[in-house]
Amino acid sequence: MSKRIVSPCISICKTDPLTGYCYGCARTDEEKKLWKYEKTTIQWKTKNLEEIISRMKGWQLDTFKESYKHKVEKGISLFKKDLLNKKL
């Protein structure tokens, strides 16, 4: 059975024009593409997750950790959960 790593996307998809990193997950556009590529290895994803977390500081890191934990446990980011609740 293969191990699965949950995508770090927390549904806040805006890119910082200075750094090129997403405000929500701190990935570059290229890293986002690699996460979707079916042949990308678990090892690469694990290393990339560590790298993107190291890019974050302060509120961004706190928000990411809380939302990513919720996504891993419940299958949906807190931001997306909030959007869905507002539609109900």
Side-chain angles (χ1 to χ4, degrees):
M1 184 171 158
S2 65
K3 183 179 172 186
R4 182 177 175 272
I5 303 235
V6 175
S7 165
C9 177
I10 58 169
S11 304
I12 302 171
C13 305
K14 296 283 183 192
T15 301
D16 182 323
L18 296 177
T19 65
Y21 298 144
C22 176
Y23 288 123
C25 67
R27 293 182 295 170
T28 64
D29 288 342
E30 185 62 29
E31 288 168 330
K32 290 175 187 180
K33 289 176 192 172
L34 284 169
W35 271 87
K36 291 179 181 181
Y37 183 58
E38 65 185 43
K39 294 188 179 186
T40 299
T41 66
I42 296 296
Q43 292 79 11
W44 184 89
K45 289 181 178 182
T46 301
K47 185 175 185 287
N48 185 248
L49 190 56
E50 292 169 2
E51 287 175 25
I52 65 172
I53 289 171
S54 74
R55 294 175 187 158
M56 298 180 208
K57 306 258 185 293
W59 65 266
Q60 182 188 27
L61 179 59
D62 295 340
T63 299
F64 175 80
K65 283 184 174 180
E66 182 179 358
S67 191
Y68 187 68
K69 180 178 187 255
H70 190 273
K71 183 177 179 180
V72 169
E73 292 173 355
K74 309 285 186 187
I76 189 171
S77 70
L78 289 173
F79 184 77
K80 194 173 269 188
K81 177 185 172 198
D82 188 49
L83 284 177
L84 291 172
N85 285 340
K86 286 179 181 178
K87 288 181 181 179
L88 296 177

